[in-house]
Amino acid sequence: MAYRRTPAVQARLDAQREAVLQSAVGLLAERGYGGCTMAAVADRAGIATGSLYQHFANKAELSVQLFRRVVTREIAAVNAAVARRETPEQRIAAVVETFAARALRAPRLAYALLVEPADAVVDTERLVFRRAFRDVIATEIAAAVASGRLPEQDPVLTAAALVGAVGEALAGPLAAAPAGQADPTVEAATVETTTIEATAEVVPALVSFTLRALGGRDDSDA
């Protein structure tokens, strides 16, 4: 007779899996994918490495679930910001502003999500991630074009180009952050000041670039 898990056992396993994912998110934000070994995640979660394999067959499977966990949170934040804006142009700006600002506030995590070398399965998830943001922007571009607020253009193509440009523009600032964060001699206040300065400079520039690329009016021109 096949063994059936009791509700209590299943609840314990579900809670343990959740603890593992939360621990993995913390490690990803601190050390990137390279630091998210099965042993390190298990140690952070307070379980034996063998127990981790009850939930994830290997690091690739863990990485995929970890990536989806963090990306779902980022997409939710962007959608919430978009919902607070009135016009399509404002909503497109909100996507870029929210995504870039959150990335610069957690640069090690964003670096891992966007550009850090990782398993092929993570690269596949990155494509899904970029397409999700592309689709949000494309929907707003299509609405703006239909209402005559933006010139005629291919919404999906323009949105894909914007997502790629924003990601490339952030790659430099994000790549510079991990070494500083990992260095224990760098004071937290110094890292925070650098992050604030980068956000103040980069985010407005990206929003301005986005509006200009769309063919819309940038309020900074007034």
Side-chain angles (χ1 to χ4, degrees):
M1 181 177 178
Y3 170 74
R4 293 184 179 180
R5 292 172 179 167
T6 65
V9 169
Q10 187 61 54
R12 179 180 62 79
L13 289 173
D14 290 344
Q16 189 177 78
R17 188 177 191 277
E18 179 61 23
V20 166
L21 283 173
Q22 290 182 2
S23 298
V25 169
L27 281 173
L28 185 66
E30 295 171 12
R31 309 177 190 174
Y33 280 113
C36 284
T37 64
M38 298 292 274
V41 172
D43 182 66
R44 176 68 64 90
I47 63 175
T49 303
S51 297
L52 186 56
Y53 287 95
Q54 292 182 303
H55 305 285
F56 304 100
N58 48 47
K59 183 181 176 181
E61 184 177 322
L62 172 61
S63 295
V64 167
Q65 294 303 315
L66 171 59
F67 190 92
R68 291 176 180 174
R69 166 65 64 92
V70 178
V71 165
T72 297
R73 184 176 66 191
E74 295 306 306
I75 292 175
V78 165
N79 285 332
V82 168
R84 293 192 293 267
R85 306 296 176 91
E86 295 182 359
T87 68
E89 297 97 321
Q90 289 174 344
R91 290 193 285 269
I92 294 168
V95 174
V96 174
E97 181 180 25
T98 304
F99 175 74
R102 287 176 64 86
L104 291 169
R105 283 198 298 268
R108 190 64 185 88
L109 179 61
Y111 177 79
L113 289 177
L114 294 174
V115 294
E116 182 182 359
D119 295 329
V121 291
V122 173
D123 287 334
T124 299
E125 292 298 315
R126 282 175 175 152
L127 287 175
V128 176
F129 180 39
R130 289 197 291 269
R131 287 168 183 163
F133 280 99
R134 178 204 66 187
D135 291 346
V136 173
I137 295 174
T139 297
E140 300 303 334
I141 293 175
V145 170
S147 64
R149 299 179 65 92
L150 288 178
E152 189 67 33
Q153 56 194 288
D154 182 332
V156 174
L157 179 61
T158 300
L162 286 173
V163 170
V166 170
E168 182 64 24
L170 289 173
L174 296 179
Q181 285 190 317
D183 186 350
T185 66
V186 177
E187 294 184 2
T190 301
V191 174
E192 182 178 0
T193 299
T194 302
T195 299
I196 292 173
E197 291 174 350
T199 302
E201 294 176 2
V202 174
V203 175
L206 284 175
V207 170
S208 179
F209 162 79
T210 297
L211 294 175
R212 292 173 188 273
L214 290 170
R217 179 178 180 276
D218 180 1
D219 289 339
S220 66
D221 292 334

